[in-house]
Each structure stands twice: as structure tokens, then as C-alpha cells.
Amino acid sequence: MKRTLVTASLMAAGLFSLPTFAANIEVSVTNLTHGNHFTPILIAAHDADSHLFQVGTEASAALQKMAEGGDIADLNTAVTGNAGVTSANPAMGLLAAGASVSDVMLDTGDNTHLSVVAMVLPTNDAFMGLDGWKIPTEAGTYTLYVNAYDAGTEANDEIINGGGMSGVPGIPAAPGGDGGMNAAGVMDNSENSNIHTHPGVLGDMDPAGGMSDLDSRVHRWLNPVAKVVVTVK
């Protein structure tokens, strides 16, 4: 009898010492801005040492592509190449202001952390970002409010010129057709070339000139810019 009790105790100790991971999660993302869009969203589950971005550090080439032009392909490749799992572009295109994408299912396997990114459009290099949030192991629903960050790779001149390629100044477009034209450009005196909290958009109300191509009545925003809801099954 004594031997049986000792064996059972050892088995129980072994079970409790095993690491536990969240296996299945459901994610939804809501755009909280008044008049801005999110470019294709990347939702990624990865290990604790991986990051799509880190505040206070220089943006990677892959992050720059996403922040300036909405291209998530290289970030997606980086995650999956390191045994992470992703949902790339679950909204099947742009996510408009006030809209949500929901029921995004991920089998995270051994991955313990969650990141979410997408460019905020129209901006020069702003992106909404959740960096390496530890996925709870306890089943339940968790709500996160997500800020926008500046990639630090381009001056915030607020000029729409059809750009979007890495290293090319300017903004790709105003998806709602509510941008201006022929702006002189906003003087951006920022010296912070690392990823940092985005200062926001100035804009103006002159559709044919002024200092900005962004309409301050439409494109102004404050943090947070997104709501992410994670349900751990």
C-alpha cells in the first residue's frame, strides 16, 4: 500500500510540473478610429523570444514594409519560419472604421505569445500593434485595447502621393476618397527614428492645399485605435 501511495504522489508531481499551453484561441479585431482603415491584418502566435516589433528599437525591414505600405508578407514569413502560426489578412482586405473581423481561429500549439499588427491608413508609417502578449492558459475571454505606433522610418509629412514603398516618402491613399491634394506638407521635427507611440495626425480642412492632405474632421485619431478580444478555449 505504501509503495502505491508513493508512486501515485510521484505521478501527480510529474503531471503538475508539465508546462501548460493555450492550444486553441479565437481572436477578433475592431477598428476604433473615426475615419481610418487598417490594411491587411496579421495575427500571429509565437514563442516568448519572437517579436514583430519592439517599442524603442529600430524597425526591421519587414516591419517597415507593413508600416509604410501595408505589406505583411515578410512578417508572416518570419513568424511561420520560426514555428509560429498566423492568420494573414483575415478581413480579406481593408478593415474600415468601426468594423470588426471576428471568429479568427488559431491552434497555437506550443506558442505562448500573441502579436497583432496592421498599418493605419492614411498615414505615413503608423501601425496598430500588439507586441508579444502572453496568452493565458486559463479558458476565458480577454479584451485588450491597442495603441498605434510610429515605425520611425518616415517623416509624418501627411502628403498623399500614391507612395507606400519602403523608403519612399508619402502616403498610399485615402481609401474613402476624402483626402486633399497639393498640400505643402507638415513639418515633422521628430528625431526619434525608433518605434515609438504615434503622435497622431494633424490634418486640416483645405481639400485643395493647406499643410496636410488629411482631413482633420475625418482622419484625426487618438489612442487606442483597436480593440482585440481573445477567447481561450
Side-chain angles (χ1 to χ4, degrees), residues 3-17:
R3 182 182 303 169
T4 302
L5 289 174
V6 170
T7 302
S9 297
L10 289 173
M11 289 177 63
L15 287 173
F16 284 117
S17 66

Short mmCIF file of all heavy atoms in Angstrom, two decimals, residues 3-17:
data_model
loop_
_atom_site.label_atom_id
_atom_site.label_comp_id
_atom_site.label_asym_id
_atom_site.label_seq_id
_atom_site.Cartn_x
_atom_site.Cartn_y
_atom_site.Cartn_z
N ARG A 3 3.91 1.59 -1.16
CA ARG A 3 4.54 1.76 -2.45
C ARG A 3 3.57 2.41 -3.44
O ARG A 3 3.95 3.28 -4.22
CB ARG A 3 5.01 0.41 -2.99
CG ARG A 3 5.73 0.50 -4.32
CD ARG A 3 6.13 -0.88 -4.81
NE ARG A 3 6.97 -1.55 -3.83
CZ ARG A 3 7.29 -2.84 -3.90
NH1 ARG A 3 6.80 -3.60 -4.86
NH2 ARG A 3 8.08 -3.38 -2.99
N THR A 4 2.33 2.01 -3.36
CA THR A 4 1.34 2.57 -4.27
C THR A 4 1.15 4.06 -4.03
O THR A 4 1.07 4.86 -4.96
CB THR A 4 -0.01 1.85 -4.10
OG1 THR A 4 0.18 0.46 -4.34
CG2 THR A 4 -1.04 2.40 -5.06
N LEU A 5 1.10 4.46 -2.78
CA LEU A 5 0.92 5.87 -2.45
C LEU A 5 2.11 6.71 -2.92
O LEU A 5 1.94 7.79 -3.45
CB LEU A 5 0.74 6.04 -0.94
CG LEU A 5 -0.59 5.53 -0.37
CD1 LEU A 5 -0.58 5.60 1.15
CD2 LEU A 5 -1.75 6.35 -0.94
N VAL A 6 3.31 6.19 -2.75
CA VAL A 6 4.50 6.92 -3.18
C VAL A 6 4.50 7.08 -4.69
O VAL A 6 4.76 8.15 -5.22
CB VAL A 6 5.78 6.18 -2.71
CG1 VAL A 6 7.01 6.80 -3.36
CG2 VAL A 6 5.90 6.24 -1.20
N THR A 7 4.16 6.02 -5.41
CA THR A 7 4.12 6.08 -6.87
C THR A 7 3.10 7.08 -7.36
O THR A 7 3.34 7.87 -8.26
CB THR A 7 3.80 4.70 -7.45
OG1 THR A 7 4.78 3.78 -6.99
CG2 THR A 7 3.81 4.72 -8.95
N ALA A 8 1.91 7.06 -6.71
CA ALA A 8 0.86 7.99 -7.10
C ALA A 8 1.29 9.43 -6.86
O ALA A 8 1.01 10.33 -7.66
CB ALA A 8 -0.41 7.68 -6.32
N SER A 9 2.00 9.66 -5.75
CA SER A 9 2.45 11.01 -5.44
C SER A 9 3.45 11.50 -6.47
O SER A 9 3.42 12.64 -6.90
CB SER A 9 3.09 11.05 -4.04
OG SER A 9 2.15 10.71 -3.06
N LEU A 10 4.36 10.60 -6.87
CA LEU A 10 5.35 10.97 -7.87
C LEU A 10 4.69 11.27 -9.21
O LEU A 10 5.06 12.22 -9.91
CB LEU A 10 6.37 9.84 -8.04
CG LEU A 10 7.34 9.65 -6.86
CD1 LEU A 10 8.18 8.39 -7.08
CD2 LEU A 10 8.25 10.86 -6.69
N MET A 11 3.68 10.47 -9.58
CA MET A 11 2.97 10.71 -10.83
C MET A 11 2.26 12.06 -10.81
O MET A 11 2.29 12.82 -11.77
CB MET A 11 1.95 9.60 -11.08
CG MET A 11 2.58 8.26 -11.44
SD MET A 11 1.34 6.97 -11.64
CE MET A 11 0.42 7.61 -13.03
N ALA A 12 1.63 12.38 -9.67
CA ALA A 12 0.93 13.66 -9.55
C ALA A 12 1.91 14.82 -9.66
O ALA A 12 1.66 15.82 -10.32
CB ALA A 12 0.17 13.72 -8.22
N ALA A 13 3.08 14.67 -9.01
CA ALA A 13 4.08 15.74 -9.06
C ALA A 13 4.56 15.94 -10.48
O ALA A 13 4.76 17.06 -10.94
CB ALA A 13 5.26 15.38 -8.15
N GLY A 14 4.71 14.85 -11.21
CA GLY A 14 5.14 14.94 -12.60
C GLY A 14 4.12 15.63 -13.47
O GLY A 14 4.45 16.46 -14.31
N LEU A 15 2.85 15.35 -13.23
CA LEU A 15 1.79 15.99 -14.02
C LEU A 15 1.76 17.49 -13.77
O LEU A 15 1.64 18.28 -14.69
CB LEU A 15 0.44 15.37 -13.68
CG LEU A 15 0.18 13.96 -14.21
CD1 LEU A 15 -1.12 13.43 -13.64
CD2 LEU A 15 0.12 13.96 -15.74
N PHE A 16 1.90 17.89 -12.51
CA PHE A 16 1.82 19.30 -12.20
C PHE A 16 3.05 20.07 -12.67
O PHE A 16 3.00 21.28 -12.82
CB PHE A 16 1.62 19.51 -10.69
CG PHE A 16 0.21 19.22 -10.24
CD1 PHE A 16 -0.06 18.20 -9.34
CD2 PHE A 16 -0.85 19.96 -10.74
CE1 PHE A 16 -1.36 17.94 -8.94
CE2 PHE A 16 -2.15 19.70 -10.34
CZ PHE A 16 -2.40 18.68 -9.44
N SER A 17 4.14 19.38 -12.90
CA SER A 17 5.35 20.07 -13.34
C SER A 17 5.41 20.25 -14.84
O SER A 17 6.27 20.95 -15.35
CB SER A 17 6.59 19.29 -12.88
OG SER A 17 6.67 18.04 -13.54
#
